[in-house]
Each structure stands twice: as structure tokens, then as C-alpha cells.
Amino acid sequence: MVSRDTIVHTCAVVLAIAVLLGVEYYDVGTDGGPAPVPVFLLFYGLVLGGAHLYLAVRGEDGLVPVEARWRYVAMLAVLLGAGAVIFYGGDRTVGTLKLEQVGFGLVAVTILGYFLTESVAGYRASRSE
């Protein structure tokens, strides 16, 4: 039997592909420049986090605990947001640092923090059983 997680993930991927087809059909942002970036963010946000966001909002555990889904969605939002900031303002500076350097630092800290948080949560879950 197919799990609920698999069905929701499949629907999220189909929705993301529909977004790409809609963008192509309506010729939105296909001329280059900064316009394709929101489409990129929406597509990857749906593919990588759409199902987790949906299941977290509904409070359904399934194969992954709801708290872990929220942590994943938060991490993905920070990474996609930092990617957009790096793309749109990478050549600007914050003090003596380029915004690109600050953004990549934020990405690194976010990934490290996510893995650390998930490791601690996994350890605590294994100890309580």
C-alpha cells in the first residue's frame, strides 16, 4: 500500500511541474534576467518542501515527526531566501563584507544548525523509547 507521505510528495511534484508548464505556457520570465528566480524558488520550494509543509500544517506524523517537518521547512525557507538574496544583491556590501559572503555564511550556519538539531532530536527520540 502506498503511504500518505508518498501520495502528498507526488502531488507536490506534480504541482511543481504544473507551475513550470504554466510559466512556459504564459511565457513568464523566460527572457532571462531576474524574473526566473521566483519561479526557481517556487518550483524547488514545492518539490523539496511542499509535502512537508502540507503535512506539518495538518499535524500528520506519517513517516516523519511533525516537529522535524517544521524544522526542515524552516531550514529550506532560509536556504531559498538566502539564495534569492545572494542572487539579487550579491555584489552589495554589508560593512566590509560582500552580501554574497554573508549569504554563504548564513547558508553554512543554517545547514550545520539543521544537522545538529536533527541529530540531537534523533538522539533524544532514541533514548525515550
Side-chain angles (χ1 to χ4, degrees), residues 34 37-38 40-41 77-90 99 103 107:
V37 173
F40 166 85
L41 295 174
V78 170
L79 293 182
L80 291 175
V85 168
I86 290 169
F87 180 81
Y88 284 120
L99 190 59
V107 166

Side-chain angles (χ1 to χ4, degrees), residues 4-44:
R4 174 124 171 100
D5 284 6
T6 303
I7 293 169
V8 173
H9 280 287
T10 303
C11 290
V13 170
V14 168
L15 182 61
I17 292 171
V19 165
L20 286 182
L21 292 175
V23 165
E24 183 66 27
Y25 180 76
Y26 290 108
D27 197 29
V28 176
T30 57
D31 59 350
V37 173
V39 174
F40 166 85
L41 295 174
L42 180 60
F43 175 78
Y44 281 102

Side-chain angles (χ1 to χ4, degrees), residues 9 12-13 42-53 72-73 76 80:
H9 280 287
V13 170
L42 180 60
F43 175 78
Y44 281 102
L46 284 171
V47 168
L48 298 174
H52 289 294
L53 178 62
Y72 177 78
V73 168
L76 184 63
L80 291 175

